[in-house]
């Protein structure tokens, strides 16, 4: 892999349905991909990962490439998303994160006091710290042989901040939220630091070959509308704007960007005007309502309840048909409302993907 700012000579893209839908152009079928499509529900994934520490896997471009390609060997998905983790950004800031089986990602020393911010790297060279992700993207883009576009991603500042303070998952995010109420200035300082790293990181992903970008604000649902307005939305907006202007400056492709703020229905209108081509939706909102709030100028992505994949295959087909009728087949990317769960049956994932293609083609014809 060459690590110059823009590796050339990528294979020609054969299926650009996902990119066309993201840009609001007409498509023959509705494109579909799944969050966490490279994951533990696949036996081949578990086999590849078996002997490896999770973050060691993330740091191996070869393994990331293999894991990214696995679901595409099974299903006719319309996009690949690079195998990585949102917590590589706090690692780049100098924090230690380990994956504990049965518990999930755990920070050995979470941020406790405002003074702890001084321990973080204030200037991050993303190529030095996260170059392994860029290498994985370049290798995967070549290995895809133009089959489908490759999506790069990052966690959004508030979601990363909440992990860095909680030290892992939490049902209340009480520690992280207490910072927002007790230390608003320090919170903004941390969010700004994260946003700056994320901007460079996303631009670097495009330079490495990513053809679309998704920002995950997975913990948006822990904030009410006011805190979201103060501590999440401004950074989400800023990231879109800064990434686009840097891509222009560096003469890199202007790729479509997706914002996925889970459980943030109260903010859909704002998110539709935040500078992203696509707004991702979780399963707790009605498609018609989402369309009404976001208007005509953005593409929507989502929002089948992941647990619908536990239903019999015929039922999955019915649910997909209903979803497509509600969203419409255009300016729409089918997906789940969150990631696939580890105990899901791969055949049911296949049924979901095939139903999207079959029903959307049928609706488009008639």
């Amino acid at each position: 892999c060459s690590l110059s700012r823009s590796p050339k000579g990528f294979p020609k893209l054969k299926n650009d349905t996902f990119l066309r839908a993201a840009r609001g152009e007409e498509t023959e079928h509705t494109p579909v991909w799944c969050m966490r499509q490279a994951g533990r529900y696949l036996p081949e994934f578990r086999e590849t990962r078996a002997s490896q520490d999770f973050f060691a896997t993330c740091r191996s471009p070869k393994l990331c490439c293999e894991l990214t390609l696995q679901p595409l060997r099974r299903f006719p998905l319309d996009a690949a998303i690079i195998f990585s983790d949102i917590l590589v950004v706090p690692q780049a800031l100098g924090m230690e994160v380990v994956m504990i089986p049965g518990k999930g990602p755990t920070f050995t020393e979470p941020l406790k006091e405002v003074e702890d911010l001084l321990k973080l790297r204030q200037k991050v060279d993303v190529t030095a710290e996260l170059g392994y992700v860029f290498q994985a993207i370049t290798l995967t883009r070549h290995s895809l042989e133009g089959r489908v576009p490759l999506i790069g991603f990052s966690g959004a500042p508030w979601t990363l901040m909440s992990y860095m303070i909680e030290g892992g998952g939490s049902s209340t995010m009480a520690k992280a939220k207490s910072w927002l109420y007790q230390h608003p200035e320090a919170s903004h300082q941390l969010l700004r630091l994260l946003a700056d790293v994320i901007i460079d990181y996303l631009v670097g992903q495009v330079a490495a070959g990513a053809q679309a970008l998704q920002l995950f604000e997975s913990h948006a649902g822990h904030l009410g509308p006011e805190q979201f307005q103060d501590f999440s939305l401004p950074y989400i907006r800023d990231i879109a704007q800064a990434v686009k202007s840097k891509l222009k400056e560096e003469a890199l492709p202007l790729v479509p960007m997706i914002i996925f703020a889970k459980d943030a229905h109260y903010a859909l209108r704002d998110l539709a005007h935040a500078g992203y081509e696509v707004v991702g939706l979780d399963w707790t909102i009605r498609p018609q309502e989402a369309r009404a709030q976001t208007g005509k100028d953005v593409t929507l992505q989502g929002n089948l309840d992941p647990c619908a994949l536990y239903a019999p295959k015929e039922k999955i087909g019915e649910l997909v048909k209903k979803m497509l009728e509600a969203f419409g087949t255009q300016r729409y990317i089918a997906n789940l409302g969150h990631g696939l769960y580890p105990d899901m049956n791969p055949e049911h994932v296949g049924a979901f993907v095939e139903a999207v293609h079959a029903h959307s083609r049928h609706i488009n014809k008639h």
Side-chain angles (χ1 to χ4, degrees), residues 255-294:
V255 303
M257 295 178 71
I258 307 164
I259 176 66
F260 176 60
K262 190 172 175 295
D263 295 324
H265 334 125
Y266 55 77
L268 277 184
R269 241 182 213 106
D270 289 325
L271 289 166
H273 298 107
Y276 294 76
E277 286 70 24
V278 183
V279 175
L281 304 167
D282 60 66
W283 68 91
T284 61
I285 184 142
R286 291 189 179 87
Q288 295 89 334
E289 215 166 293
R291 279 278 184 219
Q293 288 195 45
T294 53

Side-chain angles (χ1 to χ4, degrees), residues 347-366:
E347 283 180 27
H348 288 222
V349 177
F352 166 63
V353 173
E354 276 153 37
V356 170
H357 287 162
H359 288 298
S360 62
R361 283 202 173 97
H362 184 79
I363 293 168
N364 285 343
K365 274 205 190 87
H366 303 271

Side-chain angles (χ1 to χ4, degrees), residues 158 161 176-184 187 223 227 231:
W158 155 248
M161 169 182 171
K177 286 179 72 178
S178 75
W179 273 55
L180 304 182
Y181 286 107
Q182 293 174 4
H183 315 297
S187 296
L223 302 176
Q227 281 194 314
F231 296 103

Side-chain angles (χ1 to χ4, degrees), residues 6-180:
S6 57
K8 292 285 178 278
F10 286 128
K12 191 170 158 16
L13 185 58
K14 297 172 195 141
N15 170 3
D16 66 348
T17 314
F18 163 80
L19 294 178
R20 291 210 315 275
R23 292 191 294 257
E25 296 162 20
E26 205 170 311
T27 60
E28 281 151 47
H29 68 265
T30 297
V32 55
W33 66 281
C34 299
M35 290 184 272
R36 300 218 178 110
Q37 65 190 24
R40 287 176 294 174
Y41 73 102
L42 291 176
E44 59 269 37
F45 177 94
R46 293 197 295 271
E47 211 170 294
T48 308
R49 281 264 305 105
S51 59
Q52 277 278 8
D53 166 69
F54 177 81
F55 286 107
T57 305
C58 290
R59 286 188 287 273
S60 159
K62 233 175 86 186
L63 286 175
C64 290
C65 176
E66 166 60 21
L67 294 170
T68 304
L69 295 177
Q70 283 177 352
L72 294 158
R73 295 191 190 118
R74 280 188 183 246
F75 316 117
L77 294 153
D78 293 287
I81 183 164
I82 193 67
F83 177 80
S84 186
D85 194 87
I86 63 172
L87 299 182
V88 299
V89 169
Q91 287 177 334
L93 287 167
M95 293 189 79
E96 194 191 348
V97 192
V98 293
M99 192 59 80
I100 295 179
K103 188 181 171 203
T106 306
F107 285 74
T108 49
E109 290 181 43
L111 304 172
K112 288 196 167 74
E113 320 291 334
V114 168
E115 293 72 48
D116 292 343
L117 293 183
L118 300 172
K119 297 180 191 165
L120 300 175
R121 274 191 195 105
Q122 301 304 308
K123 269 272 166 271
V124 174
D125 173 349
V126 293
T127 308
E129 299 300 329
L130 296 166
Y132 59 88
V133 179
F134 303 156
Q135 286 172 303
I137 287 172
T138 302
L139 180 62
T140 306
R141 175 84 187 267
H142 282 294
S143 306
L144 275 167
E145 296 173 333
R147 214 177 333 171
V148 293
L150 179 60
I151 304 169
F153 70 91
S154 173
W158 155 248
T159 295
L160 295 178
M161 169 182 171
S162 62
Y163 272 114
M164 290 160 75
I165 293 171
E166 295 291 341
S170 155
S171 56
T172 60
M173 297 292 155
K175 289 181 190 145
K177 286 179 72 178
S178 75
W179 273 55
L180 304 182

